[in-house]
Amino acid sequence: MTDTIFALSSGQPPAAVAIIRISGPRAGAALEMLSGRLPVPRRATLTRLLDPVTGEGLDRALMLWFPGPASATGEDLAELHLHGGRAVVARVMLSLSAIESLVLAEPGAFTRRAFEHGRMDLAEAEGLSDLLFAETEWQRRSALVMAEGGLSARVKGWQDRLLGLSAEVEAMLDFADEGDVEDQGESVASLNARIAILAADIRVMLDRPSGERLRDGIRVVLAGPPNAGKSTLLNALAGREAAIVSPRPGTTRDTIEVPLGIAGRPFLFIDTAGLHEGTGDEIEAIGMDRAHAAIGAADVILWLDETSESPAPERTIALYPRGDAEGRSMSPNGDMIVVSAASGAGLDALVAAILERADHLLPRTGEIALNRRQRECLASSHAALQTDDDLLIVAENLRVARADLDRLTGRAGTEDMLDALFGKFCIGK
Amino acid sequence: MTDRFDIIVVGGGHAGCEAAAAAARMGARVALVSFARDSIGAMSCNPAIGGLGKGHLVREVDAFDGLIARAADHAAIHYRMLNASKGAAVQGPRIQADRKRYKDAIHTLLDDQAGLHIVEDEARALTLDHSDSVTGLALGSGRILSGKAVVLATGTFLNARMFCGADIAVGGRVGERAAQSLGDQLRARHLPIGRLKTGTPPRLDGRTIDWGVLEEQPSDGGDWTMSPLGPGRAAPQLFCAITRTNARTHEIIRAGLDRSPLYTGAIGAQGPRYCPSIEDKVVRFGDRDGHQIFLEPEGLDDPLVYPNGVSTSLPADIQTALIRSMAGLERAEIVQPGYAVEYDHIDPRALDASLAVRAIPGLYCAGQINGTTGYEEAAAQGLIAGINATAFAGGRAPLILDRASSYMGVMIDDLVLQGITEPYRMLTARAEYRLRLRADNASTRLTSIAQAVGCLGSARADWFNSRIRVREALLTKLEKESVSSERFAEAGVDVSRDGSRRSLFEWLRFPNVDAAAISRVSDVFDNVDPALIAEIAEDAHYAPYLARQEAEIRGLRANESVPIDPALDYRAIAGLSNEMTERLERARPETLAAAGRIRGITPAALSAILVHAKRRAA
């Protein structure tokens, strides 16, 4: 028999309330053993919890009962809302673990069961995971769209269109000679036209900003020659001593990553080793290699060198650092933002410039954003959607495109295509 | 005569004949049991063999040195390559057969086969030992045949009932008996049994058809045949004709629906979606103004005509009226009214991939008893069941063809994993690796496998060995000989003069470079069998797609190597829904990959099964 799992589903105690979830065939039995009865489904019921063995009182609690399959996990599911003290929670967990075939849940086990029982598909499960890990408001809104099946609904729409197209092609291939299927020629052209439209629709989704940036933060790399004040500036932005700062050039020999939320958007600031003609120091050389790699992967480069051009100008915000220092060799030109980490001058303008760039890079709030796995599935589906005059190749391309979308949501089936085929046509003899 | 055999085959239809002949080719002593010797090899329904998907099966059975393709060539009075304008992967060779010639050819092939004995008797019951293993077959006459394995190929005869309007008769075909007691025995063993229906159209007297007003469909030109080892195009070629149903036909049918057993509820069983009765077509596709009907002659000296497309169980008077509402049939006489048959079938999920019944060792099932429809589907299962029964009797490993190898593999995999909800018919759409599974390369794909299991007669083996040598030599030449674009252009082939040089094989991928174009610049194809040239040209043309499928198949085969315990307790696995558990228990997949192909089994469920299986193994 399937195990019944339980776990503390709210944050670490102490807290005002602690919630324990129990899911599986013995969830109802567990409730009865602790409270003496099974409450009315989906209604909060106040009860006194007793240890099933000793009869000792454990807590006064609210209990909720969701009989499967119409529950979050698709199984029988119970919730206990306890007083959130450490000892209360520990004692109730102990009593639960003494009940036969109840086991402590592994991480993600409730979501996994929901997935296995078809309560959510892969994309929804990923969305839920992102929601739980969301740290900024933008992340939360985007993850919510995914968890509620925003992407899945979109993919479902494409799958239906693909199934319809496949059904038509297969009808032309398998039944053309029986005379009950529309004549060819014109329909091949119309088929190809619809494939092209579908490919274009998927392209729009692929062209949207990636969900990776939303999850991992926009990569802002501070780069420039040694002792340009990169670390000082990072610390000013972060408001704390994230990077070790010293007036000696070359203090930052490795890259330093600082995640920051600014105005609800997630960022990953990366401080790099100063770039200059090498001194032959091996560690310094490695640091510079890493700096170059960071610049290559950057979404935004803060370039702290008024005397040279950034290696990737289109991704760069050019700075005139240490704006308050005396005796600088050059004066700032028009595009540069003059900043002083020491006085705080120019920081507001810099933050505004970074945010402006961020808003082009992040998915719009509440919009579907793809993670890497989803993007790969979708991109390969899109790549397969080539038009062709040879129906056999069209059919093969559609098959590959369908398989890629099936991988995206974790569902599959040729039989689905046959259902679509037979539902649509009068074929056969 | 002794009554000891290695293999006993029940039923002399397409499945039974192939099973018996395959077992005998492998050296087994075989009894083929049939009610009546004369009904062996009868074409009970449509006088056609082959078609889309089905033609593939015919060629695959032929690649194992089976009977159907050679008999079809002997009997063919009309050849047609369906989908001739499309890629070879979906081309379907199809013939119309003279029924008598077909039956004669099958009898000759069976009579010539050493080790095959025909027993004219009724199959009454299986004999089983204390562990439910098959020991033989009890016959209606009281004789008992002993055998190490039995193949049931009883077609629609298990508890069959025929319907024509309100008339109901017991029996599988007009004029023949139903196999009642064997059916009862299987039900008593708790084998999962379902019920299906199929139908036939009325047969017309061709002398009362006005052929002059109808569109003719002549036999294909060319000289392709079903089998390379058959007699060639042996019989004279006839033509078929085409007519259509019309608004008046549909009115007549609608007015008669209250007397159709399909709609009065007398027939509850499921019929095929793709081969609906004419009353189903009219009800489900009411907006269509007509359906094509093919008029197919049943023989050279036989006036019967088969109106393909009007399968029906309406009462006889309505059948006459609806037939006579069509062009060319105004005065047509019905010789034998159409009827529907409802019959028992075994849920094929009770079989393993070798077509053996899991619960009764030594028992194999093939053909309509497994819920399929069609001669070709039956023949293919008969072949595989015959081979595997013989392997079982000899203590050898079964032959399991996977989905990437053949339509036979696709069909058996579908049957034993998914079960059926309607009579199963082969379609090219069912084969995900369709591009490589062509009717024209069946020998290349399968004959070496057939050779390895010892299923080839000597004539076939000689033919195949010589063909392999020619093929290899030709491929080597095509890959070695390189030709410039200029050379093609000078020879009048439409390629861009970009100075490129490629092997002839690579050139064949280009849309304007076909076998004829190659022959303008090279003599590699001189004196080579045109069928072999066509096969290689098609391989070259689709090479990039075939390569992509190869990669997919490698992944597939990796999962095929993870076995699942046939006695696995799916209820003990956390996270499988009741529906999944039920499907897995019915089908008992033999590998992880097979489990993953079952409808509704999610990737997450699959990983749960894998983890569970590993934990038990540890």
Side-chain angles (χ1 to χ4, degrees), chain B residues 497-519:
Chain B
R497 290 169 177 264
D498 55 5
S500 58
R501 281 189 85 80
R502 291 185 177 82
S503 76
L504 289 174
F505 191 82
E506 285 172 317
W507 274 116
L508 276 168
R509 190 185 311 157
F510 286 69
N512 296 326
V513 182
D514 55 11
I518 296 287
S519 289

Side-chain angles (χ1 to χ4, degrees), chain B residues 240-546:
Chain B
C240 300
I242 301 170
T243 184
R244 281 184 79 79
T245 63
N246 52 46
R248 203 157 65 81
T249 319
H250 297 183
E251 255 170 58
I252 293 166
I253 291 166
R254 283 200 194 90
L257 283 181
D258 58 342
R259 292 166 64 203
S260 162
L262 292 175
Y263 289 90
T264 57
I267 297 182
Q270 181 73 37
R273 287 176 293 188
Y274 41 75
C275 187
S277 63
I278 188 69
E279 46 265 47
D280 268 342
K281 286 193 203 175
V282 168
V283 170
R284 285 171 46 201
F285 304 99
D287 54 330
R288 293 187 64 102
D289 54 4
H291 301 273
Q292 239 173 8
I293 306 298
F294 293 88
L295 299 174
E296 302 171 346
E298 298 214 354
L300 291 171
D301 49 5
D302 184 342
L304 281 190
V305 167
Y306 185 99
N308 196 343
V310 280
S311 158
T312 180
S313 54
L314 286 163
D317 58 313
I318 296 179
Q319 293 191 22
T320 305
L322 80 90
I323 288 292
R324 290 187 176 170
S325 68
M326 287 185 265
L329 303 182
E330 292 86 352
R331 294 179 306 108
E333 292 291 342
I334 292 180
V335 179
Q336 162 72 56
Y339 58 95
V341 187
E342 201 187 51
Y343 56 97
D344 277 359
H345 74 94
I346 289 176
D347 179 345
R349 290 177 294 181
L351 311 177
D352 67 18
S354 75
L355 294 179
V357 176
R358 270 195 306 273
I360 305 178
L363 182 63
Y364 291 76
C365 291
Q368 273 175 308
I369 191 174
N370 290 342
T372 61
T373 171
Y375 305 150
E376 305 80 359
E377 288 83 353
Q381 291 169 70
L383 173 88
I384 299 298
I387 289 172
N388 283 328
T390 310
F392 173 82
R396 295 194 301 274
L399 171 66
I400 312 280
L401 297 172
D402 72 25
R403 301 182 69 90
S405 75
S406 58
Y407 276 76
M408 297 198 287
V410 169
M411 173 173 65
I412 292 172
D413 190 64
D414 280 348
L415 290 174
V416 304
L417 284 183
Q418 319 293 356
I420 54 145
T421 52
E422 63 182 329
Y424 181 98
R425 169 185 163 181
M426 201 65 234
L427 301 165
T428 73
R430 296 191 193 276
E432 50 277 63
Y433 305 111
R434 174 167 62 194
L435 284 178
R436 40 187 279 137
L437 305 184
R438 308 192 310 260
D440 72 0
N441 67 2
S443 265
T444 305
R445 287 186 279 123
L446 298 171
T447 301
S448 56
I449 297 174
Q451 200 157 28
V453 298
C455 188
L456 299 187
S458 60
R460 178 80 56 167
D462 293 346
W463 174 86
F464 180 65
N465 293 336
S466 117
R467 183 182 160 92
I468 290 186
R469 277 196 304 277
V470 175
R471 189 173 190 278
E472 292 303 315
L474 185 58
L475 274 179
T476 309
K477 277 197 222 163
L478 284 169
E479 271 155 17
K480 272 200 178 145
E481 188 170 337
S482 88
V483 169
S484 69
S485 54
E486 277 68 21
R487 179 95 183 279
F488 272 109
E490 281 157 22
V493 180
D494 185 12
V495 298
S496 68
R497 290 169 177 264
D498 55 5
S500 58
R501 281 189 85 80
R502 291 185 177 82
S503 76
L504 289 174
F505 191 82
E506 285 172 317
W507 274 116
L508 276 168
R509 190 185 311 157
F510 286 69
N512 296 326
V513 182
D514 55 11
I518 296 287
S519 289
R520 289 199 215 171
V521 299
S522 164
D523 62 1
V524 283
F525 287 154
D526 291 1
N527 303 319
V528 178
D529 175 10
L532 185 57
I533 296 174
E535 178 187 329
I536 288 178
E538 200 73 5
D539 282 344
H541 185 64
Y542 289 102
Y545 296 91
L546 293 174

Side-chain angles (χ1 to χ4, degrees), chain A residues 243-268:
Chain A
I244 305 160
V245 185
S246 91
R248 194 157 58 83
T251 307
T252 305
R253 293 201 160 198
D254 199 351
T255 55
I256 290 173
E257 300 191 346
V258 181
L260 278 182
I262 305 177
R265 290 119 172 118
F267 291 93
L268 187 66

